[in-house]
Amino acid sequence: MQEIQFPNGRIRLFIKRDDLLHPQISGNKWRKMKYNLQEMHKQNKKTLLTFGGAFSNHIAAAAAAGKVYGFETVGIIRGEELDASNATLSFAEENGMHLKFVSRTDYRRKNDADFREDLKKEFGAFYMLPEGGTNCFALPGCAEIIDEIDAEISADYYCVAAGTGGTIAGMISGLKQGRILGFSALKGDFLQGEVEGLLSNCGADSAKQFSINTDYHFGGYAKFKPALIEFMNDFKSQFGIQLDPIYTGKMFFGIFDLVEKGYFEEGSTVVAVHTGGLQGIEGFRARYPKSKLL
Ligand SMILES: *Cc1c(COP(=O)(O)O)cnc(C)c1O
C-alpha cells in the first residue's frame, strides 16, 4: 500500500497497489482467478475457456495464467472482423492461448446451452470462466483485498473501479467496517442491481455499506475525453503511478473530483484499489494516437 500526498490535505489517500501483484496476471483479474483455478484443479480440467473483447485485460490475464501454471487456454473473442495483431491478442497468443473469433451475434449467445455444446465438441472438456472472470469463485479472492488493507490500516472508504461488478461484489462480501464506493466504467445504472444479484446468487451477505457512483464513465465503456487523459498524465507525473484509461483513470478522476466537492468528511482515510489493467494501454495508444496518453 502506498500513501500519496493529497494536494489539499483534506483526506488521507492510500493506494492498494494490486497493479503490482503479478507482472503478467494483473490486479483484480488475478484475484478473481485464484479460487477458480483451485476449482478447475479440483474438477480435474486441463483447459480454461473464457470470453472477452479484443483488448480485454481478462483475456490477457487468463492466457498468462495458463502459461505460468501450465494449462491450456481458449479465448472466445467478440467480433470476427478483428485480426490478432493488437497488443492484447498477440500477447495472449504468445502465451499459448487458442483464439476463436465469433460474431457479436454469436457472442451474445455465450451463455446458451447449445452454444456451449458446440464449444465442447470443438475443444473437449473445459473449465468455463465467464467474461471478465466474474462468478461466485471470484468473490473470495476479491474479499482478500479487504483483508490485506485492514491488516495495514483502518479505512473509512474503500474505492474500486467496476465493470462486471465482480471485484466490488467480492470486496463487499469481505467488508467488516467502513464503506465501499464503486466507480462504474460503464454508462447506466444497472451495476447496482448486477452487484446485488451476484451477492445473493453467491450466498454472500449484501447488507453492507456500499454504493456505485455512475458520474465518471466519460461517455461509456472505453470512451474518454481529453480531461481524463490530462488528469491521468498529471497523476503520472505527480505520483509516478500509471493509470489505465478504462477503469482506474476514471476512478481516480472521480475520487479527486469528489474530494474537491467535499464528499468525504475531513480527515477521512480513503483507500483506492489500483486494479491494474496496464496491459491495455499499448492497444489504447495505438487506437487513439491523438489522445496523447503518456
Ligand atoms: C476488469 C477490470 C476492472 C473491473 O472489474 P470487475 O470485476 O469486472 O468489476 C477494474 N479495473 C481493471 C483494471 C480491470 O481490468
Side-chain angles (χ1 to χ4, degrees), residues 28-29 32 57 132 134 161-168 244 247-248 275-277:
N28 66 332
K29 301 307 185 283
K32 291 198 276 185
N57 293 330
T134 291
T164 63
T167 305
I168 189 170
D244 85 290
Y247 296 105
T248 55
T275 38

Side-chain angles (χ1 to χ4, degrees), residues 112-123:
D112 296 358
D114 58 335
F115 186 69
R116 238 174 253 186
E117 272 314 304
D118 290 347
L119 290 174
K120 235 169 228 160
K121 275 180 208 141
E122 191 170 349
F123 299 108

Side-chain angles (χ1 to χ4, degrees), residues 36-68:
N36 273 293
L37 296 187
Q38 287 187 10
E39 179 63 18
M40 178 169 102
H41 186 70
K42 227 185 270 174
Q43 293 180 17
N44 218 5
K45 300 269 172 58
K46 307 281 183 253
T47 300
L48 179 88
L49 181 141
T50 193
F51 305 87
F55 298 94
S56 163
N57 293 330
H58 169 63
I59 287 290
K67 170 97 172 185
V68 172

